[in-house]
Amino acid sequence: MLIEQIKIKGFRNYEDALINLQPKTLIIGSNDVGKSNLLYALRILLDKSLSEADLEPADSDFYAFNDIEQIEIIIKFINCVMQEKSAEECNEKYRSLPVFLFVFILAATEHLRP
């Protein structure tokens, strides 16, 4: 499976972002633009080694520039085996197949957000 799309809303520096990925995507950018936050958002959904305490949102996890009460992270996968196909074949052939979504939504708790 390949990650085709990531939607991040209300998480750290992401107010409402839709990030489209290709079979070969490089994430680059200057300091303090959100590269690590993007990877941590993926980790929240995909890393089984994170504890319950790691998943509990801190006040700093919420988007700081608006009164956001919810964090939403959605990862959209396409079903593709890269070892058998070139990136272009994989992208074209599997575009119309069913996708898998992982959804993570956290609402602010009263002790975190007044």
Coordinates of all heavy atoms in Angstrom, one line a residue, residues 18-105:
L18 N -4.3 19.7 2.9 CA -4.5 18.5 2.1 C -3.2 18.2 1.4 O -2.8 19.1 0.5 CB -5.7 18.6 1.2 CG -6.0 17.3 0.4 CD1 -6.4 16.2 1.3 CD2 -7.1 17.6 -0.6
I19 N -2.5 17.2 1.7 CA -1.2 16.9 1.1 C -1.3 15.7 0.2 O -1.6 14.6 0.6 CB -0.1 16.7 2.2 CG1 -0.1 17.9 3.1 CG2 1.2 16.3 1.6 CD1 0.4 17.6 4.5
N20 N -1.1 15.9 -1.1 CA -1.1 14.8 -2.1 C 0.3 14.2 -2.3 O 1.2 15.0 -2.5 CB -1.7 15.2 -3.4 CG -3.2 15.6 -3.3 OD1 -4.0 14.8 -2.9 ND2 -3.5 16.9 -3.6
L21 N 0.4 12.9 -2.2 CA 1.7 12.3 -2.4 C 1.8 11.5 -3.7 O 0.7 10.9 -4.1 CB 2.1 11.4 -1.2 CG 2.0 12.1 0.2 CD1 2.3 11.1 1.3 CD2 3.1 13.2 0.2
Q22 N 2.9 11.3 -4.2 CA 3.1 10.5 -5.4 C 3.9 9.2 -4.9 O 4.4 9.2 -3.8 CB 4.0 11.2 -6.5 CG 3.3 12.4 -7.0 CD 2.0 12.1 -7.7 OE1 1.9 11.2 -8.5 NE2 0.9 12.8 -7.4
P23 N 4.0 8.2 -5.8 CA 4.8 7.0 -5.3 C 6.2 7.3 -4.8 O 6.7 6.6 -4.0 CB 4.8 6.1 -6.5 CG 3.5 6.5 -7.2 CD 3.4 8.0 -7.0
K24 N 6.8 8.4 -5.4 CA 8.1 8.8 -4.9 C 8.0 10.3 -4.5 O 7.9 11.1 -5.4 CB 9.2 8.6 -5.9 CG 9.4 7.2 -6.3 CD 10.5 7.0 -7.3 CE 10.7 5.5 -7.6 NZ 11.7 5.3 -8.6
T25 N 7.9 10.6 -3.2 CA 7.8 11.9 -2.8 C 8.9 12.3 -1.8 O 9.2 11.5 -0.9 CB 6.4 12.1 -2.1 OG1 5.4 11.9 -3.0 CG2 6.3 13.5 -1.5
L26 N 9.5 13.4 -2.0 CA 10.5 13.9 -1.1 C 9.9 15.1 -0.3 O 9.4 16.0 -0.9 CB 11.7 14.4 -1.9 CG 12.9 14.9 -1.2 CD1 13.5 13.9 -0.3 CD2 13.9 15.5 -2.2
I27 N 10.1 15.1 1.0 CA 9.6 16.2 1.8 C 10.8 17.1 2.2 O 11.7 16.7 2.9 CB 8.9 15.6 3.1 CG1 7.8 14.8 2.7 CG2 8.5 16.8 4.0 CD1 7.2 14.0 3.8
I28 N 10.8 18.3 1.7 CA 11.9 19.3 1.9 C 11.2 20.6 2.3 O 10.1 20.9 2.0 CB 12.8 19.4 0.7 CG1 12.1 19.9 -0.5 CG2 13.5 18.1 0.4 CD1 12.9 20.3 -1.7
G29 N 12.0 21.4 3.0 CA 11.5 22.8 3.3 C 12.5 23.4 4.3 O 13.3 22.7 4.9
S30 N 12.3 24.7 4.5 CA 13.2 25.4 5.5 C 12.8 25.0 6.9 O 11.8 24.3 7.1 CB 13.1 26.9 5.2 OG 11.8 27.3 5.4
N31 N 13.6 25.5 7.8 CA 13.3 25.2 9.2 C 11.9 25.8 9.6 O 11.5 26.8 9.2 CB 14.4 25.8 10.1 CG 15.7 25.0 9.9 OD1 15.7 23.9 9.5 ND2 16.8 25.7 10.3
D32 N 11.3 25.1 10.5 CA 10.0 25.5 11.1 C 8.9 25.7 10.2 O 8.1 26.7 10.3 CB 10.3 26.9 11.9 CG 9.4 27.1 13.0 OD1 8.9 26.1 13.6 OD2 9.1 28.3 13.4
V33 N 8.8 24.8 9.2 CA 7.6 24.9 8.3 C 6.7 23.7 8.5 O 5.6 23.7 7.9 CB 8.0 25.0 6.8 CG1 8.8 26.3 6.5 CG2 8.8 23.8 6.4
G34 N 7.0 22.7 9.3 CA 6.1 21.6 9.6 C 6.5 20.2 9.1 O 5.7 19.3 9.1
K35 N 7.7 20.0 8.6 CA 8.1 18.7 8.1 C 8.0 17.7 9.2 O 7.4 16.6 9.1 CB 9.6 18.7 7.6 CG 9.8 19.7 6.4 CD 11.2 19.7 6.0 CE 12.2 20.1 7.0 NZ 12.2 21.5 7.5
S36 N 8.6 18.0 10.4 CA 8.5 17.0 11.5 C 7.1 16.9 12.0 O 6.7 15.8 12.4 CB 9.4 17.5 12.7 OG 10.7 17.5 12.3
N37 N 6.3 17.9 12.0 CA 4.9 17.8 12.4 C 4.1 16.9 11.5 O 3.2 16.1 11.9 CB 4.2 19.2 12.5 CG 4.8 20.0 13.6 OD1 5.3 19.5 14.6 ND2 4.6 21.3 13.5
L38 N 4.4 16.9 10.2 CA 3.8 16.0 9.2 C 4.1 14.6 9.5 O 3.3 13.7 9.6 CB 4.2 16.4 7.8 CG 3.8 15.4 6.7 CD1 2.3 15.3 6.6 CD2 4.5 15.8 5.4
L39 N 5.4 14.3 9.8 CA 5.9 13.0 10.1 C 5.3 12.5 11.4 O 4.9 11.3 11.6 CB 7.4 12.9 10.1 CG 8.1 13.2 8.8 CD1 9.6 13.1 8.9 CD2 7.6 12.1 7.8
Y40 N 5.1 13.4 12.4 CA 4.6 13.0 13.7 C 3.1 12.7 13.5 O 2.5 11.8 14.2 CB 4.8 14.0 14.8 CG 4.4 13.5 16.1 CD1 5.2 12.5 16.7 CD2 3.3 14.0 16.8 CE1 4.8 12.0 18.0 CE2 2.9 13.5 18.0 CZ 3.7 12.5 18.6 OH 3.3 12.0 19.8
A41 N 2.4 13.4 12.7 CA 1.0 13.2 12.4 C 0.8 11.7 11.8 O -0.1 11.0 12.2 CB 0.4 14.2 11.4
L42 N 1.7 11.4 10.9 CA 1.7 10.0 10.4 C 2.0 9.0 11.5 O 1.4 7.9 11.5 CB 2.7 9.9 9.2 CG 2.4 10.6 7.9 CD1 3.6 10.6 7.0 CD2 1.2 10.0 7.3
R43 N 2.9 9.3 12.3 CA 3.3 8.4 13.4 C 2.2 8.2 14.3 O 2.0 7.0 14.8 CB 4.5 9.0 14.1 CG 5.1 8.1 15.1 CD 6.4 8.6 15.7 NE 6.8 7.7 16.7 CZ 7.4 8.0 17.8 NH1 7.7 9.3 18.0 NH2 7.7 7.1 18.7
I44 N 1.4 9.2 14.6 CA 0.2 9.0 15.5 C -0.7 7.9 15.1 O -1.2 7.1 15.8 CB -0.5 10.3 15.7 CG1 0.3 11.3 16.5 CG2 -1.9 10.1 16.3 CD1 -0.3 12.7 16.6
L45 N -0.9 7.8 13.8 CA -1.8 6.8 13.2 C -1.1 5.4 13.0 O -1.7 4.4 13.1 CB -2.4 7.3 11.9 CG -3.5 8.3 12.1 CD1 -4.0 8.7 10.7 CD2 -4.6 7.8 12.9
L46 N 0.2 5.5 12.6 CA 0.8 4.2 12.1 C 1.8 3.6 13.1 O 2.1 2.4 12.9 CB 1.5 4.6 10.8 CG 0.7 5.1 9.7 CD1 1.5 5.5 8.5 CD2 -0.4 4.2 9.3
D47 N 2.2 4.3 14.1 CA 3.2 3.7 15.0 C 2.6 3.0 16.2 O 2.1 3.7 17.1 CB 4.2 4.8 15.5 CG 5.4 4.3 16.3 OD1 5.4 3.1 16.7 OD2 6.3 5.1 16.6
K48 N 2.5 1.7 16.2 CA 1.9 1.0 17.3 C 2.7 1.0 18.6 O 2.1 0.7 19.6 CB 1.7 -0.5 16.9 CG 0.7 -0.6 15.7 CD 0.6 -2.1 15.3 CE -0.3 -2.2 14.2 NZ -0.5 -3.6 13.8
S49 N 3.9 1.5 18.6 CA 4.7 1.6 19.8 C 4.3 2.8 20.6 O 4.8 2.9 21.8 CB 6.2 1.6 19.5 OG 6.6 2.8 18.9
L50 N 3.6 3.8 20.1 CA 3.2 4.9 20.9 C 2.2 4.5 22.0 O 1.3 3.8 21.8 CB 2.5 6.0 20.0 CG 3.4 6.7 19.0 CD1 2.5 7.7 18.2 CD2 4.5 7.5 19.7
S51 N 2.5 5.1 23.2 CA 1.6 4.7 24.3 C 0.4 5.6 24.3 O 0.3 6.6 23.6 CB 2.4 4.9 25.6 OG 2.6 6.3 25.8
E52 N -0.6 5.3 25.2 CA -1.8 6.1 25.4 C -1.4 7.5 25.8 O -2.0 8.5 25.3 CB -2.7 5.5 26.5 CG -3.3 4.2 26.0 CD -4.4 4.4 25.0 OE1 -5.1 5.4 25.0 OE2 -4.5 3.5 24.1
A53 N -0.4 7.7 26.6 CA 0.1 9.0 27.1 C 0.7 9.8 25.9 O 0.5 11.0 25.8 CB 1.2 8.8 28.2
D54 N 1.3 9.1 24.9 CA 1.9 9.8 23.7 C 0.7 10.3 22.9 O 0.9 11.3 22.1 CB 2.7 8.8 22.9 CG 4.0 8.5 23.6 OD1 4.5 9.3 24.4 OD2 4.5 7.3 23.4
L55 N -0.4 9.6 22.9 CA -1.5 9.9 22.0 C -2.4 11.0 22.6 O -3.2 11.6 21.9 CB -2.4 8.7 21.7 CG -1.7 7.6 20.9 CD1 -2.6 6.4 20.7 CD2 -1.3 8.1 19.5
E56 N -2.3 11.2 23.9 CA -3.1 12.3 24.6 C -2.6 13.6 24.1 O -1.4 14.0 24.3 CB -2.9 12.2 26.1 CG -3.8 13.1 26.9 CD -5.3 12.8 26.7 OE1 -5.6 11.6 26.6 OE2 -6.0 13.8 26.8
P57 N -3.4 14.5 23.6 CA -2.9 15.8 23.0 C -2.6 16.8 24.1 O -3.2 16.9 25.1 CB -4.1 16.3 22.2 CG -5.3 15.7 22.8 CD -4.9 14.3 23.4
A58 N -1.5 17.5 23.9 CA -1.1 18.6 24.7 C -1.7 19.8 24.1 O -2.1 19.9 22.9 CB 0.4 18.7 24.8
D59 N -1.8 20.9 24.9 CA -2.3 22.1 24.4 C -1.5 22.6 23.1 O -2.1 23.2 22.2 CB -2.3 23.2 25.5 CG -3.1 24.4 25.1 OD1 -4.2 24.2 24.6 OD2 -2.7 25.5 25.4
S60 N -0.2 22.3 23.1 CA 0.6 22.8 22.0 C 0.4 21.9 20.7 O 0.9 22.3 19.7 CB 2.1 22.7 22.4 OG 2.4 21.3 22.7
D61 N -0.4 20.9 20.8 CA -0.7 20.1 19.6 C -1.8 20.7 18.8 O -2.0 20.3 17.6 CB -1.1 18.6 20.0 CG 0.1 17.8 20.5 OD1 1.3 18.1 20.0 OD2 -0.1 16.9 21.3
F62 N -2.6 21.6 19.4 CA -3.7 22.2 18.7 C -3.2 23.4 17.9 O -2.3 24.2 18.4 CB -4.8 22.6 19.7 CG -5.5 21.5 20.2 CD1 -5.0 20.8 21.4 CD2 -6.6 21.0 19.6 CE1 -5.7 19.7 21.9 CE2 -7.3 19.9 20.2 CZ -6.8 19.3 21.3
Y63 N -3.7 23.7 16.7 CA -3.4 24.8 15.9 C -3.5 26.1 16.8 O -4.5 26.4 17.4 CB -4.3 24.9 14.7 CG -3.9 26.0 13.7 CD1 -2.8 25.9 13.0 CD2 -4.8 27.1 13.6 CE1 -2.5 27.0 12.1 CE2 -4.5 28.1 12.7 CZ -3.3 28.1 12.0 OH -3.0 29.1 11.1
A64 N -2.5 26.9 16.8 CA -2.4 28.0 17.7 C -3.0 29.3 17.3 O -3.3 30.2 18.1 CB -0.9 28.3 18.1
F65 N -3.3 29.5 16.0 CA -3.7 30.8 15.5 C -5.3 30.9 15.4 O -5.7 32.0 15.1 CB -3.1 31.0 14.2 CG -1.6 31.0 14.3 CD1 -0.9 29.9 13.8 CD2 -0.9 32.0 14.9 CE1 0.5 29.8 13.9 CE2 0.5 31.9 15.0 CZ 1.2 30.9 14.5
N66 N -6.0 29.9 15.7 CA -7.5 30.0 15.7 C -7.9 29.1 16.9 O -7.2 28.3 17.4 CB -8.1 29.4 14.4 CG -8.1 30.4 13.3 OD1 -7.9 31.6 13.5 ND2 -8.2 29.9 12.1
D67 N -9.1 29.3 17.3 CA -9.7 28.5 18.4 C -10.1 27.2 17.9 O -11.3 27.0 17.6 CB -10.8 29.3 19.1 CG -11.2 28.6 20.4 OD1 -10.4 28.0 21.0 OD2 -12.4 28.8 20.8
I68 N -9.2 26.3 17.8 CA -9.4 24.9 17.3 C -9.7 24.0 18.5 O -9.0 24.0 19.4 CB -8.2 24.4 16.5 CG1 -7.9 25.3 15.3 CG2 -8.4 23.0 16.1 CD1 -8.9 25.3 14.2
E69 N -10.8 23.3 18.4 CA -11.2 22.3 19.5 C -11.0 20.9 19.1 O -11.3 20.0 19.8 CB -12.7 22.6 19.9 CG -12.9 23.9 20.4 CD -12.2 24.2 21.8 OE1 -12.0 23.2 22.5 OE2 -11.8 25.3 22.0
Q70 N -10.5 20.6 17.9 CA -10.4 19.3 17.4 C -9.2 19.1 16.5 O -8.9 20.0 15.7 CB -11.7 18.9 16.6 CG -11.8 17.5 16.1 CD -13.2 17.3 15.5 OE1 -14.1 17.2 16.3 NE2 -13.3 17.1 14.3
I71 N -8.6 18.0 16.6 CA -7.5 17.6 15.7 C -8.0 16.5 14.8 O -8.6 15.5 15.3 CB -6.3 17.1 16.5 CG1 -5.6 18.3 17.3 CG2 -5.2 16.5 15.5 CD1 -4.5 17.8 18.2
E72 N -7.7 16.6 13.5 CA -8.2 15.6 12.5 C -7.0 15.2 11.7 O -6.4 16.1 11.0 CB -9.3 16.2 11.7 CG -9.9 15.2 10.7 CD -11.1 15.9 9.9 OE1 -12.0 16.4 10.6 OE2 -11.0 15.9 8.7
I73 N -6.7 13.9 11.6 CA -5.6 13.4 10.7 C -6.2 12.3 10.0 O -6.7 11.3 10.5 CB -4.4 13.0 11.5 CG1 -3.9 14.1 12.4 CG2 -3.3 12.4 10.6 CD1 -2.8 13.6 13.4
I74 N -6.2 12.4 8.6 CA -6.7 11.3 7.8 C -5.6 10.9 6.8 O -5.1 11.8 6.1 CB -8.0 11.8 7.0 CG1 -9.1 12.2 8.0 CG2 -8.5 10.7 6.1 CD1 -10.3 12.8 7.4
I75 N -5.4 9.6 6.7 CA -4.4 9.1 5.7 C -5.2 8.2 4.7 O -5.9 7.3 5.1 CB -3.3 8.3 6.4 CG1 -2.6 9.1 7.5 CG2 -2.3 7.8 5.4 CD1 -1.6 8.3 8.3
K76 N -5.0 8.5 3.5 CA -5.6 7.8 2.4 C -4.6 6.9 1.7 O -3.6 7.4 1.2 CB -6.3 8.7 1.4 CG -7.0 8.0 0.2 CD -7.6 9.1 -0.7 CE -8.2 8.5 -1.9 NZ -8.7 9.6 -2.8
F77 N -4.8 5.6 1.7 CA -3.9 4.7 1.0 C -4.5 4.2 -0.3 O -5.7 4.1 -0.4 CB -3.7 3.4 1.9 CG -3.0 3.7 3.2 CD1 -3.7 4.1 4.4 CD2 -1.6 3.6 3.3 CE1 -3.0 4.3 5.5 CE2 -1.0 3.8 4.5 CZ -1.7 4.2 5.6
I78 N -3.6 3.8 -1.2 CA -4.0 3.1 -2.4 C -3.3 1.7 -2.3 O -2.2 1.6 -1.7 CB -3.7 3.8 -3.7 CG1 -2.2 4.1 -3.8 CG2 -4.5 5.0 -3.9 CD1 -1.8 4.7 -5.2
N79 N -3.9 0.7 -2.9 CA -3.4 -0.6 -2.8 C -2.4 -0.8 -4.0 O -2.9 -0.8 -5.2 CB -4.5 -1.6 -2.9 CG -4.0 -3.0 -2.6 OD1 -3.0 -3.2 -2.1 ND2 -4.9 -4.0 -2.9
C80 N -1.1 -0.9 -3.7 CA -0.2 -1.1 -4.8 C 1.1 -1.7 -4.3 O 1.5 -1.5 -3.2 CB 0.2 0.3 -5.4 SG 1.3 0.3 -6.8
V81 N 1.6 -2.6 -5.1 CA 2.9 -3.3 -4.7 C 4.0 -2.8 -5.5 O 4.1 -3.1 -6.7 CB 2.7 -4.9 -4.8 CG1 4.0 -5.5 -4.4 CG2 1.5 -5.4 -4.0
M82 N 4.9 -2.0 -4.9 CA 5.9 -1.3 -5.7 C 6.9 -2.3 -6.3 O 7.5 -2.0 -7.3 CB 6.6 -0.3 -4.8 CG 5.8 1.0 -4.6 SD 5.3 1.9 -6.0 CE 6.9 2.4 -6.6
Q83 N 7.1 -3.4 -5.6 CA 8.2 -4.3 -6.1 C 7.8 -4.9 -7.5 O 8.6 -5.3 -8.3 CB 8.4 -5.5 -5.1 CG 8.9 -5.1 -3.8 CD 7.8 -4.6 -2.8 OE1 6.7 -4.5 -3.2 NE2 8.3 -4.3 -1.6
E84 N 6.5 -5.0 -7.7 CA 6.0 -5.6 -9.0 C 5.8 -4.6 -10.1 O 5.6 -4.9 -11.3 CB 4.7 -6.3 -8.7 CG 4.9 -7.5 -7.7 CD 3.6 -8.1 -7.4 OE1 2.6 -7.8 -8.0 OE2 3.6 -9.0 -6.5
K85 N 5.6 -3.3 -9.8 CA 5.3 -2.3 -10.8 C 6.2 -1.1 -10.7 O 6.8 -0.8 -9.7 CB 3.8 -1.8 -10.5 CG 2.8 -2.8 -10.4 CD 2.4 -3.3 -11.7 CE 1.2 -4.3 -11.5 NZ 1.3 -5.4 -12.5
S86 N 6.3 -0.4 -11.8 CA 7.0 0.9 -11.7 C 6.1 1.9 -11.0 O 4.9 1.7 -10.9 CB 7.4 1.3 -13.1 OG 6.2 1.8 -13.8
A87 N 6.7 3.0 -10.6 CA 5.9 4.0 -9.9 C 4.8 4.5 -10.8 O 3.7 4.7 -10.3 CB 6.8 5.1 -9.5
E88 N 5.0 4.7 -12.1 CA 4.0 5.2 -13.0 C 2.9 4.2 -13.2 O 1.7 4.6 -13.2 CB 4.7 5.6 -14.3 CG 5.6 6.8 -14.3 CD 7.0 6.4 -13.7 OE1 7.4 5.2 -13.7 OE2 7.6 7.3 -13.2
E89 N 3.3 2.9 -13.4 CA 2.2 1.9 -13.6 C 1.4 1.8 -12.3 O 0.2 1.7 -12.4 CB 2.9 0.6 -13.9 CG 3.5 0.5 -15.2 CD 4.2 -0.9 -15.4 OE1 4.9 -1.3 -14.5 OE2 4.2 -1.4 -16.5
C90 N 2.0 1.8 -11.2 CA 1.3 1.7 -9.9 C 0.4 2.8 -9.7 O -0.8 2.6 -9.4 CB 2.4 1.7 -8.8 SG 1.6 1.4 -7.2
N91 N 0.8 4.1 -10.0 CA 0.0 5.2 -9.9 C -1.3 5.2 -10.8 O -2.4 5.5 -10.4 CB 0.8 6.5 -10.1 CG 0.2 7.7 -9.5 OD1 -0.6 7.6 -8.6 ND2 0.5 8.8 -10.1
E92 N -1.1 4.8 -12.0 CA -2.2 4.8 -13.0 C -3.1 3.6 -12.8 O -4.3 3.7 -12.7 CB -1.6 4.7 -14.4 CG -1.1 6.1 -14.9 CD -2.1 7.2 -14.8 OE1 -3.2 7.0 -15.2 OE2 -1.7 8.2 -14.3
K93 N -2.6 2.4 -12.7 CA -3.4 1.2 -12.6 C -4.2 1.1 -11.3 O -5.4 0.7 -11.4 CB -2.5 0.0 -12.6 CG -3.3 -1.3 -12.7 CD -2.4 -2.5 -12.9 CE -3.2 -3.8 -13.0 NZ -2.4 -5.0 -13.2
Y94 N -3.7 1.6 -10.2 CA -4.4 1.5 -9.0 C -5.2 2.7 -8.6 O -5.8 2.7 -7.5 CB -3.5 1.0 -7.9 CG -2.9 -0.3 -8.1 CD1 -1.7 -0.5 -8.8 CD2 -3.7 -1.5 -7.7 CE1 -1.3 -1.8 -9.0 CE2 -3.2 -2.7 -7.9 CZ -2.0 -2.9 -8.6 OH -1.5 -4.2 -8.9
R95 N -5.2 3.7 -9.4 CA -5.9 5.0 -9.1 C -7.4 4.7 -8.8 O -8.0 5.3 -8.0 CB -5.7 6.0 -10.2 CG -6.5 7.2 -10.1 CD -5.8 8.3 -9.3 NE -4.4 8.5 -9.5 CZ -3.6 8.9 -8.6 NH1 -4.1 9.3 -7.4 NH2 -2.3 9.0 -8.8
S96 N -8.0 3.8 -9.6 CA -9.5 3.6 -9.5 C -9.9 2.5 -8.5 O -11.1 2.2 -8.3 CB -10.0 3.2 -10.8 OG -9.4 2.0 -11.3
L97 N -8.9 1.8 -7.8 CA -9.2 0.8 -6.9 C -9.7 1.4 -5.6 O -9.4 2.5 -5.3 CB -8.0 -0.1 -6.6 CG -7.7 -1.0 -7.8 CD1 -6.5 -1.9 -7.4 CD2 -8.8 -1.9 -8.2
P98 N -10.4 0.6 -4.8 CA -10.8 1.1 -3.4 C -9.6 1.5 -2.6 O -8.5 1.0 -2.7 CB -11.5 -0.1 -2.8 CG -11.9 -1.0 -3.9 CD -10.8 -0.8 -5.0
V99 N -9.8 2.5 -1.8 CA -8.8 3.0 -0.9 C -9.1 2.7 0.5 O -10.2 2.3 0.9 CB -8.6 4.5 -1.1 CG1 -8.3 4.9 -2.5 CG2 -9.9 5.2 -0.7
F100 N -8.0 2.8 1.3 CA -8.2 2.6 2.8 C -7.9 3.9 3.5 O -7.0 4.6 3.1 CB -7.1 1.5 3.2 CG -7.2 0.2 2.5 CD1 -6.5 0.0 1.4 CD2 -8.1 -0.7 3.0 CE1 -6.6 -1.2 0.7 CE2 -8.2 -2.0 2.3 CZ -7.4 -2.2 1.2
L101 N -8.7 4.2 4.5 CA -8.6 5.4 5.2 C -8.3 5.1 6.7 O -8.9 4.3 7.3 CB -9.8 6.3 5.1 CG -10.2 6.8 3.8 CD1 -11.5 7.6 3.9 CD2 -9.1 7.7 3.2
F102 N -7.3 5.8 7.3 CA -7.1 5.8 8.7 C -7.5 7.2 9.2 O -7.0 8.2 8.6 CB -5.7 5.5 9.1 CG -5.2 4.1 9.0 CD1 -3.9 3.8 8.7 CD2 -6.1 3.1 9.3 CE1 -3.5 2.5 8.6 CE2 -5.7 1.7 9.2 CZ -4.4 1.4 8.9
V103 N -8.4 7.2 10.1 CA -8.8 8.5 10.6 C -8.5 8.6 12.1 O -8.8 7.7 12.9 CB -10.4 8.6 10.4 CG1 -10.9 10.0 10.9 CG2 -10.7 8.5 8.9
F104 N -8.0 9.8 12.5 CA -7.7 10.1 13.9 C -8.3 11.5 14.2 O -8.0 12.4 13.6 CB -6.2 10.1 14.0 CG -5.7 10.5 15.4 CD1 -5.7 9.5 16.4 CD2 -5.2 11.7 15.7 CE1 -5.2 9.8 17.6 CE2 -4.8 12.0 17.0 CZ -4.8 11.0 18.0
I105 N -9.3 11.5 15.1 CA -9.9 12.7 15.5 C -9.8 12.8 17.0 O -10.2 11.9 17.8 CB -11.3 12.8 15.1 CG1 -11.4 12.8 13.5 CG2 -12.0 14.1 15.6 CD1 -12.8 12.8 12.9

